[in-house]
Amino acid sequence: MGVTFSMIKPDAFKQGLSGRILSDIEQSGFKIVKMRVVRMSRDQAMDFYNSLSHLPFYNDLCDYMSSGPIVALVLEADDAVKRFRDLIGATDPAMAMCGTIRSKYGISKGSNAIHGSDSDLSAEREVKFFDL
Ligand code: DAT
Ligand code: MG
């Protein structure tokens, strides 16, 4: 059994899409192990995304991720990291495959509804980071 970390991002939370997104996640075979509504400070957002600090969108990303509450999730399934990335789709909702969470609920490359860990190592770091 594998574990991954996810966040329902501020745009989706604010629009009242959390219930539908959680339903999609559960119907795809993921077990919700931990879940909490939290708001990241800007410093926490900077720390969470520190590997992207050299990129031009980093400041906007940190502003956005600290702009409102998120739903932090620890999810369990076989091959959880890869299967969850498949479920959420590409970073840009316009490029994400039909039926994926980002294609259904994302607004833009920045406001793309949901986060999913990109490796087992990231999942471990991100679960610890939020200490749910
Ligand atoms: P992902 O979330 O698909 O793993 P990432 O780790 O490369 O993508 O980037 C983290 C977040 O940063 C992403 O979910 C949304 C934002 N982002 C990525 N590329 C972007 C871009 N070109 N313009 C604006 N925001 C971007
Ligand atoms: Mg990533």
Side-chain angles (χ1 to χ4, degrees):
M1 204 46 86
V3 160
T4 193
F5 176 77
S6 177
M7 297 182 279
I8 297 174
K9 294 188 179 182
D11 59 297
F13 184 85
K14 202 179 318 174
Q15 291 179 83
L17 296 171
S18 301
R20 263 170 278 184
I21 291 173
L22 289 170
S23 173
D24 285 4
I25 290 171
E26 288 187 318
Q27 286 188 359
S28 301
F30 291 87
K31 182 180 165 202
I32 299 171
V33 180
K34 293 183 179 179
M35 171 162 71
R36 188 185 294 168
V37 177
V38 288
R39 182 169 179 169
M40 276 197 270
S41 68
R42 198 171 188 290
D43 281 353
Q44 283 173 319
M46 287 175 71
D47 192 4
F48 186 86
Y49 283 111
N50 63 10
S51 66
L52 304 181
S53 63
H54 57 293
L55 295 172
F57 57 83
Y58 177 66
N59 268 309
D60 287 346
L61 173 64
C62 296
D63 284 344
Y64 163 64
M65 288 302 294
S66 57
S67 69
I70 57 144
V71 183
L73 294 159
V74 179
L75 302 170
E76 196 176 81
D78 284 332
D79 202 13
V81 167
K82 186 193 179 299
R83 285 194 44 233
F84 195 71
R85 294 289 297 200
D86 290 346
L87 176 64
I88 70 177
T91 306
D92 183 352
M95 306 295 286
M97 261 170 56
C98 205
T100 58
I101 290 176
R102 283 170 166 170
S103 85
K104 286 165 77 174
Y105 309 114
I107 296 168
S108 65
K109 228 184 260 182
S111 299
N112 60 4
I114 193 157
H115 166 83
S117 308
D118 62 9
S119 67
D120 287 339
L121 204 63
S122 302
E124 195 184 330
R125 170 187 177 265
E126 293 169 1
V127 168
K128 276 193 195 135
F129 184 94
F130 275 87
D131 192 25
L132 294 181

